[in-house]
Amino acid sequence: MKILPIKAPPTEFRAALLRWYRANRRDLPWRKTRDPYAIWVSEIMLQQTRVAAVIEYFERFMQQFPTVEALAAADEDRVVAAWSGLGYYRRARSLHAAARKIVNELRGNVPNTRVALLELPGVGRYTSAAIASIAYGEPAAVVDGNVERVLERLDGVARPVEQVWTRAQELLAPKAAGDWNQAMMELGATVCTSVAPLCDQCPVQTWCRLPGHDVRKAQPARNKKELICGLAVRGKKVYLRQRGKDESLLPLMWELPHLESSDNAKVLARMKHSITNSDYAIVVVAVEPKAIPKGGKWMSIADLLRVPLTGITRKALRRTGVL
Ligand code: SF4
């Protein structure tokens, strides 16, 4: 690929993209507010999760924890339970820890600069710039996978990551930083998609050096795994175990016990579930209460709604009619 020199951003380019964004942006709940707390929650939820999946969780979470004070006052288990199904639960724990820091050390004020936001647990380079620009108008560019792809096609050059951040900052419309960042990401998400970009609908096609260029990168191989979950029912209670606090994946969450084999057991459900780069084929089987592995707890439906469940367990309980 030909390497082109970085050029100063044309004013018309910025105007065309902002005009397109303001006329076409998706109507998303976190775009109806400038509340830094709500924007922060949305940005944490949007890390590694699709917009469509986040909408429902965001609205429910904001009803349950409408302010940073409400979030800080909640038990961690309740916060993780509200996150249950969104995955990457460390985000929920960091969000909760950050809320407590804001309430205890910052008198409830969400930090208002990118640099200060970086001090919060779970807030990194992308998230700090996103919150600072969208909530406070700070001229700080963001780079995510969408922005990187748009810039690669626009400029006709695949840059090392540091140079992508520099280029994004150069193009940023400083007086409309929040809209600008969202416009770049929206363009990548809805028009300049990784497969089959819609170049004929693109507001900045005039400036694009590689319209339609396929920038797909090789995907890492996915692991295929099998999992047998045992469902034991006693009266109106089911038996769950809690994962250890040192588990690298889903620490302290509650789940159905895992079994080594499903021989002779009654199969209640079969389902598929994907976590990070693993695809699970799951079989849920009935287990007699007396045959259940030790170390867990019998839980009522009310308990199940209060504790953080793994995504697989929530799905299994729904599929078998328990929840
Ligand atoms: Fe992307 Fe096509 Fe627009 Fe270029 S013209 S930025 S490839 S959508």
Side-chain angles (χ1 to χ4, degrees), residues 203-215:
V204 291
Q205 191 183 19
T206 319
W207 292 271
C208 185
R209 291 180 192 268
L210 292 176
H213 173 61
D214 190 340
V215 295

Side-chain angles (χ1 to χ4, degrees), residues 129-273:
I131 302 167
S133 60
I134 297 168
Y136 300 114
E138 182 175 330
V142 298
V143 171
D144 68 353
N146 284 321
V147 173
E148 192 177 351
R149 182 173 60 254
V150 169
L151 290 179
E152 182 174 334
R153 285 169 171 159
L154 272 174
D155 290 339
V157 50
R159 300 180 171 90
V161 68
E162 272 314 313
Q163 285 184 26
V164 180
W165 280 87
T166 305
R167 180 57 168 150
Q169 188 64 37
E170 240 177 12
L171 284 180
L172 178 89
K175 295 201 173 115
D179 273 5
W180 177 264
N181 280 332
Q182 293 183 90
M184 287 289 283
M185 292 189 280
E186 189 88 342
L187 187 71
T190 62
V191 175
C192 193
T193 46
S194 64
V195 180
L198 306 171
C199 300
D200 55 344
Q201 296 175 30
C202 178
V204 291
Q205 191 183 19
T206 319
W207 292 271
C208 185
R209 291 180 192 268
L210 292 176
H213 173 61
D214 190 340
V215 295
R216 272 176 291 178
K217 307 211 167 43
Q219 297 292 318
R222 298 188 63 77
N223 301 317
K224 303 239 177 268
K225 298 183 178 173
E226 278 188 352
L227 194 61
I228 303 163
C229 298
L231 176 62
V233 179
R234 192 172 70 189
K236 291 193 170 171
K237 294 190 168 181
V238 295
Y239 189 85
L240 297 186
R241 65 175 279 270
Q242 188 172 27
R243 295 174 65 82
K245 72 174 176 358
D246 298 324
E247 301 262 10
S248 59
L249 213 54
L250 312 174
L252 295 173
M253 299 195 74
W254 291 82
E255 64 185 359
L256 291 171
H258 298 168
L259 307 179
E260 294 199 345
S261 105
S262 60
D263 291 349
N264 305 322
K266 182 179 174 197
V267 174
L268 301 173
R270 290 182 191 278
M271 39 188 233
K272 297 190 184 311
H273 191 86

Side-chain angles (χ1 to χ4, degrees), residues 45 57 60-61 64-65 70-71 74-97 100 242-243 249-254 303-311 314:
M45 286 188 169
Y57 280 93
R60 224 176 21 230
F61 195 91
Q64 219 173 331
F65 312 108
L71 181 59
D75 284 344
E76 186 185 89
D77 273 2
R78 231 182 112 224
V79 178
V80 179
W83 206 270
S84 186
L86 257 186
Y88 301 99
Y89 295 93
R90 196 157 292 149
R91 294 181 298 175
R93 294 198 169 92
S94 297
L95 187 68
H96 184 235
R100 291 198 162 167
Q242 188 172 27
R243 295 174 65 82
L249 213 54
L250 312 174
L252 295 173
M253 299 195 74
W254 291 82
D303 293 333
L304 296 177
L305 297 174
R306 258 198 311 270
V307 300
L309 302 174
T310 66
R314 178 172 298 279

